[in-house]
Amino acid sequence: FGAYAVDLREKASVLDTWGPSNIMLSVCSLGPRSSYPGAIQIGGNLMEKTVWAYVHAGSYLVYGSMTSPGDGGIWIPDPPLPASLDLPLCE
């Protein structure tokens, strides 16, 4: 899995997996009870599943996981997201 730039002028088909009709990110909050204040998870939708972004130990690259990404999938925005932003809680 990967997150990268795509020239949308070259991708116009509704059936194109990486085309503009299939661009969507899921962002959820770990919530106030999390041991990581203000933390979020970021994922992309792929064929009715969410692929969660994470970094695994010993790497600086971002990978994708179709299961819970663990601590490597916890992202802490800097600066923090506004408190008024109403993100859904991560499941």
Side-chain angles (χ1 to χ4, degrees):
F1 304 105
Y4 50 87
V6 173
D7 185 347
L8 295 179
R9 293 173 294 198
E10 303 292 324
K11 303 285 187 175
S13 170
V14 173
L15 302 176
D16 186 342
T17 303
W18 306 113
S21 63
N22 293 313
I23 296 174
M24 177 70 86
L25 280 179
S26 297
V27 178
C28 61
S29 169
L30 293 181
R33 293 189 173 162
S34 167
S35 55
Y36 301 96
I40 59 172
Q41 286 187 305
I42 303 168
N45 296 325
L46 179 65
M47 297 180 213
E48 300 184 26
K49 288 281 201 174
T50 301
V51 180
W52 296 105
Y54 76 100
V55 176
H56 67 75
S59 178
Y60 59 89
L61 301 174
V62 177
Y63 294 85
S65 175
M66 293 184 85
T67 61
S68 175
D71 286 349
I74 296 172
W75 302 90
I76 301 175
D78 183 21
L81 297 175
S84 61
L85 187 62
D86 190 24
L87 293 175
L89 290 177
C90 299
E91 295 179 11

